[in-house]
Structure formats: C-alpha cells, structure tokens
Amino acid sequence: MPNYNPASSLAAAVHNALSNDLAIQSQLGQIPRLYDYVPEDPIYPYLTYGALRIVDESGDDSPLTGHTMTLHIWSRYGGRAEVLDILNAVRRVVESGAVSPNDARLVGANVLYMDSFRTSDGRGLHGLIRVSFKTEPVDAALKEVA
C-alpha cells in the first residue's frame, strides 16, 4: 500500500459528497463555495475546511485510521438560521453514507458536535462542525469478506 493516503482520500471524498449534494448547492451555490483557501473577496455564505487530525487506530492485522475533520461555515446573514441550515445539510451528507473514499472503505462517520457563534467583528456568524470518520484500506475490507 505504498500509495495509500487515507487523509487525502477522505478529504477528496468529503469534498465530492458536499459538492454533489443538492441541498449544499442550494445554500452555497451551484458550484458550491467550498474552500481550502478563501479568495480575497468571498461571496457569503461559504464553507472552509479546517483542521484534519489523523490517528492510526489499527489493531492486530486490522488497519484502521481515525480522522477528525473540522468544517467551518461563514455567513453574513442577520440571524443564525442560515448557518444552522447549512450545518444541518452538512450533517445530513456526513451521516447519509455519501462520503465514499476511492482507496478506502468508510467504516464509520458521525458528527461529534456543531456550534454557531457571532464572529469577532460582529458582522457575521461562524458555524463549526466537527466530524469523526473511521477508514480502512480497501484490501483490508476484502480480507474480511474472504
């Protein structure tokens, strides 16, 4: 498995699942505003990818990777409704099974918590969702079936 990169595979799968979801598209644009790096003058609302922690949780001959991903929602809407709606749409995508890494099998996905609060400049709202994923290499999943 020299080319196996569970973090990269999972990050791409999350991006693809969010990009292709109709509810996300209706809130963040037909080509959703999902950013690793925010453009200089972004259109609100948008989502940014935050920290991604990767932990080897393997056991005896059972490779398993734990991932904790943080996603941020940024809004200039006057109230919390927009941020809460987007957080809920992201939660639904994560829990629906739509996240499907290319070179790994998703063993589990669950939302650890969601939060929303006013930005420090007082002009917007910031939503935060932290998600836990567990993945194993595809070849390990095939061994279980055999």
Side-chain angles (χ1 to χ4, degrees):
M1 291 183 292
N3 293 329
Y4 178 59
N5 185 340
S8 180
S9 180
L10 179 68
V14 168
H15 182 79
N16 287 337
L18 292 172
S19 294
N20 293 318
D21 184 78
L22 295 177
I24 297 292
Q25 290 176 6
S26 74
Q27 295 168 349
L28 298 178
Q30 179 94 28
I31 299 173
R33 294 177 296 277
L34 308 170
Y35 303 123
D36 261 336
Y37 181 80
V38 181
E40 193 167 312
D41 194 16
I43 296 172
Y44 288 83
Y46 62 90
L47 178 147
T48 58
Y49 298 104
L52 174 59
R53 172 181 277 179
I54 299 97
V55 178
D56 182 2
E57 297 180 1
S58 300
D60 299 334
D61 295 327
S62 298
L64 185 69
T65 304
H67 312 260
T68 305
M69 179 181 281
T70 304
L71 305 170
H72 302 269
I73 311 301
W74 303 93
S75 170
R76 289 277 171 95
Y77 185 77
R80 294 185 188 273
E82 184 174 69
V83 165
L84 294 176
D85 286 347
I86 297 168
L87 286 170
N88 190 55
V90 172
R91 180 197 55 78
R92 189 188 47 73
V93 169
V94 166
E95 293 177 347
S96 72
V99 176
S100 181
N102 285 336
D103 63 351
R105 182 175 80 88
L106 190 63
V107 177
N110 65 307
V111 172
L112 300 175
Y113 70 86
M114 298 189 305
D115 200 356
S116 66
F117 41 91
R118 190 140 310 271
T119 57
S120 60
D121 65 4
R123 295 178 35 193
L125 285 163
H126 179 187
L128 186 135
I129 183 168
R130 183 151 297 151
V131 184
S132 172
F133 296 98
K134 306 285 187 211
T135 61
E136 66 181 3
V138 173
D139 62 344
L142 295 176
K143 286 180 187 177
E144 288 179 9
V145 175

